[in-house]
Amino acid sequence: MKKHKINIITLGCSKNLVDSEQLATQLKGGNVEVEFDSNDSNARSIVINTCGFIKDSKEESIETILSYAQARSLGKIDNLYVIGCLAERYKKDLQKEIPEVDQYFGVNDLQKIVKSLDVNYKEELLGERSISTPKHFAYLKISEGCDRTCSFCAIPLIRGKHQSVPMDLLVKQAKNLAEQGVKELILIAQDLVSYGLDLYKENKLAELLKQLAQIEKIGWIRLHYTYPAGFPDEVIELMANEEKICSYIDIPLQHINDKVLKLMRRGHNRKTTMKLISSLRERIPNISIRTTLLVGHPGEGQEEFEELKEFVKEVQFDRLGVFTYSEEEGTYGAKNLTDDVSEEIKAERSDEIMALQQEISLKLNQNKVGNEYKVLIDRIEGEFYIGRSEFDSPEVDNEILIPINGSKLPLGEFYQVKVESAQDYDLFGYVIQ
Ligand code: SF4
């Protein structure tokens, strides 16, 4: 007989999602029924996995806690637990401000959380994973924390120092995911390119990728959250030669102006950044580059911003996202820099960059009309199958829409698709095999 049911609400990034999944794996191991982000759940116990990265995400986390705190005080639920980055960062304040929550836990408290939910923690379950994503793709978190000191970032304050997950455990998890039907593995971390430097005293990302590529049922391996400084050359070599590794890279660059990059304490400059981009494009000709830029950082005047715009026009990124600077307490930026760019100008600059990128994305997509791509179909939406090529990551990138027209294609499978038309962020096509 199932013990009881718990609904895990996950906010924030894919790394938080993996934490929620690892908690679910332990709970299911203890005969607890688990739901993920269910809006119409009748679960009497709720766990909210919060985000504490920047102002907007903190506000979303607090709103979510408050809505369940009300349900708790009205007796609609019996237990309410809050975990994750916001709880790690502001536990004492939250305990005072929102006492309706039964318990708050930090980011390294998996065993404590499991125990407080009346389940025995099982070390051996770390090699397994109960996934909340569609069954054909999953995230693999290869390390936690970060040793870098970017001026604007609170993550090292929340998640601590860089810690690689042992390679044998990652390979075991990946095999378990493949047995569950996962075809696409998305590698995530705070700083993917530092994998192994702590645990093995040398970079082991290439070796990990080789081992993951040997798992037969895995078709695609995708790299997210790489860092432009210290990017291992052997990884570029492997990406160029190992078919399973998607010709796709997510590499947050944040800026291109040397003065701003220095103030951001990023450890890379215009010259090294341009060199890395051209090296990626020369050695992996069809690579799709996703980046994230930060506008409105202290010291970013109009001249520096103009340089950033020129950079976006020149490089023509395949995928691009923009954040505005948010002064985060405890960071180098909050302690040493003045948040001198107004929120209005930050928003204007973000809009300007995204307007530029929309034009670029449309042009790049139009160049794909007539081409054929291997596509993984994720879901059905209205009259369309929604899929992605190796150049697109779930939830953040472009999608390919394929009219259903009465066909019954199994989801979560690869198909050969010909592109018929393009929009700024979507392609339209049909299955040819
Ligand atoms: S690399 Fe920089 S931005 Fe990324 S998690 Fe580390 S400190 Fe934060």
Side-chain angles (χ1 to χ4, degrees):
M1 218 282 295
K2 289 277 180 201
K3 263 189 187 164
H4 56 276
K5 188 191 283 188
I6 296 182
N7 186 14
I8 303 178
I9 312 290
T10 304
L11 304 170
C13 66
S14 50
K15 286 150 276 189
N16 242 18
L17 192 75
V18 171
D19 292 349
S20 292
E21 293 177 349
Q22 281 170 338
L23 172 59
T25 310
Q26 291 288 335
L27 297 178
K28 287 184 180 179
N31 211 18
V32 173
E33 194 179 339
V34 176
E35 289 179 324
F36 290 107
D37 299 301
S38 165
N39 293 328
D40 57 356
S41 169
N42 59 1
R44 302 294 299 182
S45 298
I46 306 288
V47 173
I48 305 173
N49 191 356
T50 59
C51 178
F53 183 41
I54 52 174
K55 185 165 160 290
D56 295 353
S57 51
K58 289 192 277 188
E59 283 170 5
E60 184 196 12
S61 293
I62 290 167
E63 274 156 31
T64 308
I65 298 171
L66 289 173
S67 69
Y68 281 100
Q70 194 185 28
R72 179 80 179 78
S73 50
L74 294 172
K76 290 185 182 157
I77 56 173
D78 303 331
N79 306 300
L80 178 56
Y81 301 90
V82 171
I83 69 173
C85 294
L86 190 81
E88 176 73 32
R89 222 174 154 191
Y90 303 107
K91 191 173 179 179
K92 286 206 173 57
D93 304 334
L94 290 166
Q95 279 169 334
K96 233 182 313 155
E97 305 290 331
I98 318 178
E100 294 87 348
V101 172
D102 295 277
Q103 272 184 282
Y104 290 92
F105 295 95
V107 294
N108 299 313
D109 289 344
L110 181 60
Q111 295 193 31
K112 284 189 199 149
I113 302 165
V114 170
K115 197 156 171 281
S116 70
L117 291 164
D118 283 335
V119 170
N120 294 328
Y121 175 80
K122 296 188 183 103
E123 187 80 18
E124 66 276 19
L125 287 179
L126 288 181
E128 299 177 19
R129 182 101 66 76
S130 163
I131 58 174
S132 62
T133 49
K135 292 284 171 257
H136 55 274
F137 74 80
Y139 297 98
L140 190 71
K141 182 158 69 168
I142 71 169
S143 66
E144 187 53 277
C146 184
D147 290 350
R148 302 188 193 260
T149 56
C150 303
S151 62
F152 50 85
C153 184
I155 291 173
L157 304 170
I158 302 170
R159 295 272 172 174
K161 285 289 182 193
H162 179 258
Q163 283 186 319
S164 301
V165 177
M167 199 175 298
D168 57 348
L169 186 53
L170 289 172
V171 173
K172 194 173 173 202
Q173 272 184 20
K175 285 182 177 162
N176 172 271
L177 292 168
E179 285 315 308
Q180 292 183 55
V182 168
K183 295 181 179 65
E184 178 183 9
L185 265 186
I186 304 165
L187 271 55
I188 58 173
Q190 308 297 354
D191 172 11
L192 205 81
V193 298
S194 294
Y195 181 72
L197 294 177
D198 55 315
L199 200 52
Y200 307 109
K201 305 299 171 235
E202 60 175 318
N203 198 298
K204 288 277 191 180
L205 182 55
E207 190 179 327
L208 172 64
L209 290 170
K210 284 180 194 152
Q211 293 209 21
L212 295 175
Q214 282 163 17
I215 302 173
E216 205 185 325
K217 291 181 179 169
I218 295 293
W220 280 350
I221 299 168
R222 190 181 296 281
L223 307 188
H224 265 266
Y225 304 103
T226 62
Y227 197 88
F231 198 105
D233 196 68
E234 64 270 23
V235 169
I236 302 180
E237 199 54 34
L238 198 58
M239 288 179 75
N241 298 303
E242 172 49 67
E243 208 178 304
K244 285 190 177 185
I245 303 177
C246 296
S247 295
Y248 174 96
I249 193 88
D250 167 45
I251 183 164
L253 295 171
Q254 310 302 357
H255 217 283
I256 195 61
N257 170 268
D258 283 340
K259 183 188 98 179
V260 176
L261 284 169
K262 201 153 196 284
L263 287 167
M264 284 180 168
R265 298 164 33 117
R266 290 286 292 176
H268 59 99
N269 58 29
R270 183 182 181 94
K271 194 159 163 252
T272 56
T273 305
M274 298 309 280
K275 191 160 169 272
L276 177 59
I277 292 171
S278 32
S279 168
L280 285 166
R281 285 185 164 161
E282 273 157 32
R283 295 160 71 183
I284 312 164
N286 64 348
I287 191 166
S288 173
I289 302 180
R290 154 170 276 281
T291 197
T292 307
L293 301 177
L294 184 77
V295 296
H297 187 274
E300 183 194 63
Q302 193 55 33
E303 194 186 317
E304 290 78 18
F305 178 62
E306 290 302 327
E307 185 180 343
L308 185 66
K309 279 200 298 186
E310 284 313 309
F311 172 60
V312 170
K313 286 181 199 160
E314 182 190 341
V315 173
Q316 308 261 302
F317 289 100
D318 304 274
R319 318 277 176 259
L320 183 146
V322 178
F323 281 97
T324 57
Y325 178 74
S326 161
E327 188 178 83
E328 290 302 316
E329 62 192 276
T331 60
Y332 175 88
K335 290 181 190 160
N336 302 284
L337 306 174
T338 310
D339 187 5
D340 53 5
V341 182
S342 73
E343 293 308 314
E344 207 185 338
I345 290 179
K346 287 175 186 173
E348 278 169 23
R349 288 179 180 171
S350 171
D351 292 348
E352 269 189 70
I353 296 277
M354 285 320 292
L356 262 181
Q357 183 59 24
Q358 193 167 8
E359 286 167 28
I360 291 167
S361 183
L362 176 60
K363 204 188 76 218
L364 294 175
N365 273 353
Q366 284 167 339
N367 295 344
K368 292 188 171 161
V369 174
N371 294 354
E372 291 174 19
Y373 297 100
K374 180 180 174 182
V375 166
L376 185 55
I377 292 187
D378 289 321
R379 64 185 191 283
I380 286 176
E381 221 169 86
E383 304 301 303
F384 295 95
Y385 296 110
I386 311 292
R388 289 170 295 110
S389 70
E390 68 173 304
F391 307 116
D392 298 296
S393 197
E395 288 146 19
V396 288
D397 290 330
N398 293 13
E399 292 180 319
I400 300 185
L401 284 71
I402 302 155
I404 296 175
N405 291 343
S407 63
K408 289 201 173 356
L409 299 176
L411 303 183
E413 299 294 337
F414 291 110
Y415 298 88
Q416 204 58 19
V417 170
K418 183 157 187 166
V419 175
E420 244 179 345
S421 65
Q423 289 180 350
D424 41 19
Y425 294 119
D426 289 323
L427 297 171
F428 291 80
Y430 56 90
V431 172
I432 51 176
Q433 275 171 24

